[in-house]
Amino acid sequence: MTCFPFASRRRGAIARLLLAAIAAAGLAAVRLPAQAPGDSVQRLPEDSAVRTGRLPNGLTYYIARHTEPVHRAELRLVVNAGSVLEDERQRGLAHLLEHMAFDGSTHFPKHAVWDYLARVGLATGADVNAETSFDHTMYRLTIPTDTAAIVTNGLQILADWAHGLTLDSTELERERKVVIEEWRLHRGAGARIQDKHFQVLLRGSRYAERQPIGQVSVLEHASIADVRRFYRDWYRPDLMAVVIVGDLDPVEMEARVRALFGAIPAPRHPRPRPRMTVPVSATPLASVAVDSEATATSVSWLSLAPHRDLITVGDYRRSLINTLAEAMLNARLAEAAREADAPFLGASVSLANIVRPLDAWELSARVVDGGAERALARLRAELARVARDGFLATELAREKTALLRRYDQIEAEREKIPSAQLAAQLVGEYLSGSPTPSTEYEVALARRLVPTITADEVNRVLAGFDSLRGRVVLASGPVSSASALPDTATLLAALAGPVAALPAYVDSTANAPLIAHEPEPGKVIATARIDTLGVDIWTLSNGVRVILKPTTLDPGQVLITSYRDGGTSVAPDSELVPAVTALDIVSRSGLGAYDAAALRKRLAGTVASVGGALGPYGEGVWGSGSPKDIATLFQLVYLQFTAPRLDSVAFEQYRAALRDALAHRAARPEAAMRAPLGLLLA
């Protein structure tokens, strides 16, 4: 049972698709007409494979048959109410109520629900869980569907959570201690820094004062009447949804939902659920937070704006444009981080949903102590260069190719998306009010829209980032770097100051073969077969054994792994540090004739990746890719074995990052405890 105080929900098209996939026949049969002038305002269609409806009492339901995995189903009860709705005397009670939901109800008195769930083999966390956020509360069950009684009882548990909680005062005394301890365990450096930043990011709104974990003084003294009042006010059918996804008959499930949840009475005089907002400041804001247990220094530059949902075809096109802009700027930032004397250890840009009514473009960088101002200046300069020159046609073409290829993978793997991901998508759609188009429709729509997106459209996404409205700068770091962190006045002055002019961006690309000269092929000198496993074993002339296992588990993926005895344990003491760090350095350096940045560009539009594995007693190479790119995958595996790069710039950057991490390692309480334990166990 958890609380989520900071909901960073991505709304990009690919993120939606990865959650929206559902098994259905005939993706290729979906054909969309050419875009008409008024097409952008057309509402995205609902997925016809999802049975959805609204009961007379106001409760919404979503039901979909999905057989990944077979004989399993995901059940969700979603309550459109979270900590932001708490009264002053209830701060933390939304989360406390979530805990008490497992402490007795109409059909499962006292702790009978725990006894029952354990008896049928469901595990807390993996199969049974709940969460409370600012805006909603959700209860989750993952159940087997090959036993009718378990399905029936699973639905009854959801119905009891919705309208049958006992809320006994004795259980309140027990659970308040549990929640206070959870509060204590979460009061690490990250939470303390986040608390301070929240006061700036969310100022002027209830979100700034209603974090789900609550306030200890309230948790210590809250009465059962306060808990029951929150339950009565907000746990009601017009603020609830039931989501059922899995290996079940949707028609039967719909009838059961109508009978079981339709019996919950509608509230006679419901308390209005307010529509929350977060004011966007007309002038820039800044927050600086230091903490004795922080282990890294970072700076972030955010552009805040009211949240926009994906409702229409035009919204979907906007999400594709955002995805392309984000990918291109991230590629440039990755190149900047690989420069000699780079301005940051790493940097990225993302579009996130901070809380329900607030979105943010966020540029963030991890820096060495004293590097916050320099990093911020470079982030501004990178954006100014985009505003001045725009992205290049080659960059846009590359990211379009990569984006469409990801849609190809979604199409190929659509039947293997787990039911839990589809359930999460439907939960999100209920809470946001967005439609739930089918995967077939989304893939076809993306294939139609992506080629029509212009450079001007992508350039406009970030063109206004450097204006003053909605700008927030956040900096955080260890206490030891407090003197190196700029104060808020310095950060705000840096935002208002002149922007350095970077030279025009040069998109250096290479199209040379990954392998200049094909190697002389070896031979298979012996074969074997294990029929019971469906495995073929080949012995090659160089001594390598190949174990081949064809499967239909994931038609869009080929996996390669290798192993040999060895590892860091065979390195002499004098070479232990190079041994344990070599793999990290190689992974940052690239392969063959291509450094890491050039390799990324060279592989745009392919689905293939490789890496190394190094443990104390073994080592190897792994690879993953699509069947379409299997030739590229094998070339990369070959290069990983034969031509790993050792880039001097990548090496120096790695050393800088390692020095920074080691300098602050002792600040972590876990590290302080492990050091003496290590000596005792040595």
Side-chain angles (χ1 to χ4, degrees):
M1 290 162 217
T2 55
C3 65
F4 291 88
F6 192 64
S8 182
R9 296 188 298 276
R10 293 287 304 278
R11 298 296 294 176
I14 289 296
R16 288 172 49 84
L17 279 165
L18 289 175
L19 296 176
I22 182 171
L27 261 172
V30 176
R31 294 290 184 268
L32 295 175
Q35 189 169 8
D39 193 30
S40 64
V41 298
Q42 175 187 336
R43 184 179 174 88
L44 295 169
E46 300 285 352
D47 185 354
S48 60
V50 179
R51 300 181 74 91
T52 184
R54 187 176 175 88
L55 302 180
N57 61 9
L59 184 138
T60 303
Y61 62 85
Y62 302 85
I63 304 170
R65 178 175 173 79
H66 192 56
T67 56
E68 181 59 41
V70 295
H71 307 312
R72 289 290 184 273
E74 300 291 336
L75 309 184
R76 305 285 187 271
L77 175 71
V78 190
V79 186
N80 187 19
S83 62
V84 76
L85 298 179
E86 294 167 344
D87 295 338
E88 190 64 28
R89 291 170 50 187
Q90 295 175 322
R91 294 174 64 174
L93 298 195
H95 181 215
L96 180 60
L97 172 57
E98 172 220 304
H99 278 251
M100 293 189 67
F102 294 85
D103 293 332
S105 63
T106 303
H107 297 87
F108 297 89
K110 294 295 182 182
H111 302 133
V113 69
W114 287 121
D115 297 337
Y116 168 75
L117 294 172
R119 192 165 62 250
V120 299
L122 301 189
T124 303
D127 304 314
V128 185
N129 216 328
E131 65 183 49
T132 303
S133 74
F134 281 116
D135 289 295
H136 76 273
T137 307
M138 184 180 71
Y139 300 87
R140 174 176 68 81
L141 289 176
T142 302
I143 63 170
T145 60
D146 46 3
T147 303
I150 294 179
V151 176
T152 298
N153 286 330
L155 292 173
Q156 186 62 68
I157 291 171
L158 258 63
D160 274 19
W161 284 333
H163 190 65
L165 296 186
T166 307
L167 300 180
D168 182 83
S169 58
T170 302
E171 298 302 332
L172 170 62
E173 296 308 314
R174 188 176 71 89
E175 291 295 352
R176 79 163 87 234
K177 296 175 183 177
V178 173
V179 174
I180 290 172
E181 177 63 10
E182 187 174 320
W183 178 93
R184 187 190 67 79
L185 289 173
H186 285 80
R187 301 316 297 162
R192 293 189 292 267
I193 290 171
Q194 180 177 269
D195 285 351
K196 185 164 186 181
H197 288 338
F198 267 12
Q199 300 307 309
V200 175
L201 275 175
L202 305 174
R203 75 171 195 170
S205 74
R206 287 177 64 90
Y207 292 98
E209 306 297 334
R210 292 293 187 275
Q211 293 192 42
I213 197 64
Q215 200 172 62
V216 171
S217 60
V218 173
L219 293 171
E220 288 176 334
H221 303 293
S223 69
I224 193 64
D226 293 321
V227 179
R228 289 171 179 166
R229 180 162 52 84
F230 190 91
Y231 186 62
R232 181 180 65 251
D233 285 345
W234 305 119
Y235 277 55
R236 59 187 205 232
D238 59 311
L239 294 178
M240 289 182 178
V242 172
V243 176
I244 303 172
V245 180
D247 195 359
L248 291 164
D249 179 5
V251 176
E252 179 187 352
M253 289 301 102
E254 184 176 30
R256 289 196 183 191
V257 167
R258 287 185 170 276
L260 189 59
F261 292 88
I264 300 174
R268 293 185 178 181
H269 304 288
R271 183 176 175 181
R273 195 216 191 277
R275 184 178 181 85
M276 300 297 176
T277 60
V278 179
V280 174
S281 175
T283 57
L285 304 173
S287 172
V288 176
V290 295
D291 194 273
S292 60
E293 295 177 4
T295 58
T297 301
S298 65
V299 60
S300 296
W301 179 23
L302 293 89
S303 174
L304 307 180
H307 175 63
R308 299 174 67 182
D309 280 312
L310 268 68
I311 305 293
T312 67
V313 171
D315 293 332
Y316 200 90
R317 182 186 180 86
R318 169 173 49 82
S319 74
L320 294 170
I321 293 170
N322 290 342
T323 298
L324 292 169
E326 184 177 316
M328 286 187 284
L329 186 53
N330 270 322
R332 290 194 182 187
L333 292 173
E335 288 188 33
R338 296 187 185 101
E339 295 172 356
D341 191 29
F344 31 66
L345 299 173
S348 63
V349 62
S350 63
L351 175 61
N353 178 223
I354 306 299
V355 290
R356 184 179 292 179
L358 186 68
D359 286 344
W361 277 98
E362 178 179 6
L363 276 160
S364 59
R366 187 187 166 196
V367 302
V368 297
D369 290 354
E373 288 180 78
R374 182 171 175 237
L376 181 58
R378 181 57 180 269
L379 294 177
R380 291 189 67 203
E382 289 288 349
L383 276 176
R385 176 161 60 178
V386 172
R388 183 191 70 205
D389 303 332
F391 290 110
L392 303 183
T394 52
E395 294 177 280
L396 180 58
R398 183 167 54 245
E399 295 304 338
K400 281 185 176 182
T401 300
L403 180 58
L404 287 173
R405 192 61 208 283
R406 278 178 276 170
Y407 276 97
D408 290 344
Q409 283 300 103
I410 291 167
E411 177 183 29
E413 299 173 3
R414 66 193 185 278
E415 295 185 4
K416 298 304 177 182
I417 299 296
S419 293
Q421 291 190 1
L422 177 57
Q425 169 71 8
L426 295 174
V427 168
E429 301 307 345
Y430 167 68
L431 294 171
S432 69
S434 298
T436 55
S438 68
T439 301
E440 300 95 320
Y441 178 88
E442 287 202 56
V443 170
L445 183 62
R447 286 174 175 165
R448 188 189 77 187
L449 294 179
V450 169
T452 69
I453 293 173
T454 67
D456 285 343
E457 289 178 290
V458 181
N459 294 336
R460 285 198 296 270
V461 169
L462 302 171
F465 202 108
D466 205 22
S467 67
L468 299 181
R469 182 174 179 81
R471 301 303 174 260
V472 179
V473 183
L474 310 174
S476 63
V479 168
S480 59
S481 66
S483 59
L485 274 176
D487 57 22
T488 56
T490 302
L491 286 176
L492 292 174
L495 272 188
V499 183
L502 295 175
Y505 178 75
V506 177
D507 187 19
S508 55
T509 58
N511 293 311
L514 290 172
I515 300 175
H517 303 288
E518 288 288 328
E520 197 68 32
K523 296 180 180 179
V524 176
I525 61 174
T527 63
R529 171 80 180 175
I530 304 177
D531 289 324
T532 55
L533 299 177
V535 166
D536 289 292
I537 302 175
W538 308 330
T539 302
L540 305 184
S541 53
N542 62 0
V544 172
R545 280 201 313 157
V546 177
I547 301 173
L548 177 67
K549 170 62 177 176
T551 78
T552 58
L553 293 175
D554 190 340
Q557 186 178 57
V558 175
L559 295 176
I560 297 174
T561 188
S562 63
Y563 175 83
R564 74 174 181 186
D565 292 335
T568 57
S569 61
V570 302
D573 291 349
S574 60
E575 296 182 10
L576 180 60
V577 172
V580 298
T581 59
L583 199 59
D584 287 334
I585 296 169
V586 168
S587 68
R588 293 164 178 253
S589 298
L591 292 172
Y594 290 87
D595 64 24
L599 186 62
R600 177 193 175 276
K601 295 177 181 180
R602 176 65 175 77
L603 296 177
T606 62
V607 180
S609 59
V610 298
L614 181 64
Y617 309 111
E619 58 208 34
V621 167
W622 61 265
S624 174
S626 75
K628 179 179 177 180
D629 298 309
I630 195 165
T632 300
L633 174 60
F634 276 103
Q635 289 177 339
L636 292 172
V637 170
Y638 177 78
L639 290 173
Q640 187 75 26
F641 274 112
T642 64
R645 286 173 63 94
L646 292 175
D647 187 288
S648 60
V649 174
F651 175 70
E652 289 303 324
Q653 291 168 340
Y654 180 73
R655 290 212 321 170
L658 197 59
R659 281 195 298 265
D660 184 73
L662 291 173
H664 303 298
R665 180 179 59 175
R668 300 180 67 240
E670 297 89 344
M673 182 178 72
R674 277 199 299 265
L677 282 178
L679 293 175
L680 289 172
L681 298 174

